[in-house]
Amino acid sequence: MAAPLSVEVEFGGGAELLFDGIKKHQVTLPGQEEPWDIRNLLVWIKKNLLKERPELFIQGDSVRPGILVLINDADWELLGELDYQLQNQDNILFISTLHGG
Amino acid sequence: MPAPTCASCHAARAALRRPRSGQALCGPCFCAAFEAEVLHTVVAGRLLPPGAVVAVGASGGKDSTVLAHVLRELAPRLDVALRLVAVDEGIGGYRDEALAAVRRQAARWELPLTVVAYEDLFRGWTMDAVARSTAGTGRGRSCCTFCGVLRRRALEEGARLVGATHIVTGHNADDMAETVLMNFLRGDAARLARGGGLGSRGEGGALPRCRPLQFASQKEVVLYAHFRRLDYFSEECVYAPEAFRGHARDLLKRLEAVRPTAALDLVHSAERLALAPAVRPPRPGACSRCGALASRALCQACALLDGLARGRPRLAIGEREHRGGGDAEGTRGRARAAVEAAAAAL
């Protein structure tokens, strides 16, 4: 049983284009049976924030390869990736690397 | 689970793990390591000697932004001068915004900026015009092939305008790996053999070029830009979805998911390929029109522009005037041209 959580979800590197161009989203996640981990956050984002072309952001139950995920400015690889348990006031940043430079 | 402590300063919390070494580093220590590696690439490869005037190909995108930022940090140590050169291909709704980003960067970094436009250099041909001309030629749009050739030429012109002695571009390890895959997939053995190493020494009067970021993975370039809070332009070119490179990129991304060092390994393999004796080329000459290095009467840029002017845009890409030859012939023709160009460097 997970309590409601307040987190900041950010998008960069072009990913924001899938979210109406808005980079920062203050999000309140409702209390629910399932724990709030990144896996469930992605499901929530797909349902509530993603405006178009979900396949450009999500692949299977994770992010599309080429999208970096930083949790409080640290690579999610160090924190358990999809299994990381969200804490109140966490910042989750998704940066797309999928464009020329 | 909490993040480990930085393996370098042992004080801050680690922000990432480097793919090759597996070492966990905090943001500032990672940035320092990244800069040290670029410095090493340049110094060990003797890419930019003291006194060099370096034209930096600047697109406003993540790679050239990081490249320019890092070189600016290293410039005093390397004793080189930097000039930003941006290419305006004439792609409406895309390039204008990207150029605005470059202008902001030039102002912030206090670096001189020169913009060169296809329209001025190539008889009025913008990429939008090329795209219209090559639309519906039956095999999917090939405008990106034009852009690759013309942009290299434009960058060369811009570099000369600013009195540069060297050209640098922001190609990273993933770009290099994608190019390896593309060349394999298109049977371009000559480009495969030529494409590795540390850039070109400058053939037939062309300025020497190199890619200081070529050993940096794309992920690390993006993370560096993030930790240094660098502002860059991050939209995809409107024609990019049609480019063949997209397929190579998708494949590489999938490979990296199971083997994080895939990009570096691909480049490593390509560098160790040798051409079979039968494919070794004769010495090239000069383009009869512009004097650039060429294996035939016209260099690739002039041949492409000729094709456009005559309403036969695929002429220099694959078609034969008297046959309607398939792509493979054109590919071998280009491969031969590329091999011949490579020969001059030997």
Side-chain angles (χ1 to χ4, degrees):
Chain A
M1 174 64 206
L5 277 184
S6 192
V7 295
E8 188 176 51
V9 178
E10 268 191 86
F11 302 100
E16 66 273 21
L17 296 173
L18 301 172
F19 297 91
D20 267 343
I22 300 171
K23 289 193 173 179
K24 284 198 208 221
H25 302 246
Q26 281 296 343
V27 161
T28 304
L29 302 170
Q32 61 171 25
E33 269 309 311
E34 312 279 300
W36 277 115
D37 54 18
I38 301 287
R39 186 178 282 106
N40 291 332
L41 176 65
L42 287 178
V43 173
W44 188 93
I45 289 176
K46 183 173 177 183
K47 208 162 82 160
N48 296 282
L49 286 184
L50 198 47
K51 295 298 174 199
E52 55 184 288
R53 319 221 28 213
E55 73 280 6
L56 292 184
F57 185 69
I58 293 195
Q59 198 177 87
D61 67 349
S62 185
V63 287
R64 183 183 175 201
I67 299 201
L68 306 184
V69 185
L70 297 182
I71 304 169
N72 302 324
D73 244 21
D75 191 339
W76 73 336
E77 264 174 38
L78 292 175
L79 299 166
E81 296 193 12
L82 292 171
D83 296 323
Y84 171 80
Q85 304 285 311
L86 292 176
Q87 320 245 318
N88 210 30
Q89 302 306 324
D90 269 351
N91 172 286
I92 304 98
L93 167 60
F94 298 94
I95 313 181
S96 173
T97 67
L98 302 162
H99 51 79
Chain B
M1 94 176 109
T5 313
C6 175
S8 178
C9 67
H10 306 289
R13 191 193 56 145
L16 57 93
R17 195 180 291 284
R18 306 210 65 193
R20 225 185 323 180
S21 61
Q23 197 189 30
L25 295 178
C26 68
C29 289
F30 160 67
C31 289
F34 186 92
E35 287 159 8
E37 282 160 19
V38 175
L39 179 62
H40 176 79
T41 298
V42 171
V43 168
R46 284 191 256 244
L47 302 178
L48 304 174
V53 177
V54 182
V56 182
S59 66
K62 61 190 187 338
D63 301 302
S64 58
T65 298
V66 167
L67 174 67
H69 177 89
V70 173
L71 284 183
R72 189 171 167 276
E73 298 288 312
L74 300 177
R77 230 174 310 180
L78 292 170
D79 187 23
V80 299
L82 300 177
R83 312 258 187 273
L84 297 177
V85 176
V87 175
D88 179 1
E89 310 96 335
I91 301 174
Y94 167 72
R95 188 41 79 194
D96 320 281
E97 282 188 57
L99 282 179
V102 184
R103 291 188 210 282
R104 281 199 301 274
Q105 291 170 347
R108 192 175 316 128
W109 290 327
E110 294 174 325
L111 286 177
L113 166 65
T114 301
V115 180
V116 283
Y118 279 11
E119 200 169 19
D120 301 325
L121 290 173
F122 304 126
R123 312 177 216 160
W125 282 101
T126 60
M127 269 319 292
D128 284 341
V130 172
R132 281 191 297 272
S133 179
T134 54
T137 44
R139 215 171 266 134
R141 208 132 64 166
S142 49
C143 57
C144 300
T145 302
F146 284 81
C147 200
V149 172
L150 297 179
R151 187 162 6 149
R152 274 166 188 76
R153 180 58 58 84
L155 197 50
E156 182 87 26
E157 288 304 315
R160 286 193 191 286
L161 273 175
V162 301
T165 56
H166 293 73
I167 296 176
V168 295
T169 53
H171 294 90
N172 58 50
D174 293 51
D175 296 324
M176 310 283 292
E178 285 162 17
T179 300
V180 168
L181 285 174
M182 286 164 69
N183 290 335
F184 255 121
L185 292 168
R186 297 197 288 205
D188 205 335
R191 273 214 180 86
L192 254 181
R194 176 173 78 143
L198 293 169
S200 61
R201 268 162 286 168
E203 321 152 335
L207 290 175
R209 290 179 186 236
C210 64
R211 301 160 293 224
L213 300 183
Q214 70 180 80
F215 300 120
S217 74
Q218 179 157 261
K219 174 174 173 173
E220 297 203 316
V221 169
V222 173
L223 286 174
Y224 181 88
H226 171 74
F227 288 117
R228 287 292 194 229
R229 309 277 177 246
L230 300 180
D231 158 50
Y232 59 86
F233 178 71
S234 53
E235 281 180 39
E236 197 177 49
C237 176
V238 295
Y239 299 115
E242 300 164 36
F244 185 66
R245 183 172 287 268
H247 298 289
R249 183 167 292 165
D250 285 343
L251 176 56
L252 181 65
K253 284 282 149 274
R254 291 207 300 275
L255 291 170
E256 281 181 327
V258 290
R259 191 186 170 86
T261 55
L264 293 164
D265 295 338
L266 270 168
V267 174
H268 178 94
S269 302
E271 280 178 354
R272 281 151 183 78
L273 290 174
L275 279 184
V279 195
R280 251 162 246 156
R283 294 211 73 79
C287 174
S288 58
R289 190 157 308 153
C290 73
L293 195 75
S295 54
R296 287 174 278 190
L298 291 181
C299 70
Q300 232 185 338
C302 287
L304 286 176
L305 291 170
D306 251 20
L308 282 173
R310 283 195 267 168
R312 300 290 307 286
R314 294 195 68 78
L315 198 61
I317 294 183
E319 261 173 33
R320 295 281 177 196
E321 193 125 36
H322 55 280
R323 281 185 274 171
D327 247 348
E329 273 197 76
T331 303
R332 281 194 286 278
R334 274 180 298 137
R336 181 155 294 279
V339 168
E340 286 161 309
L346 296 172

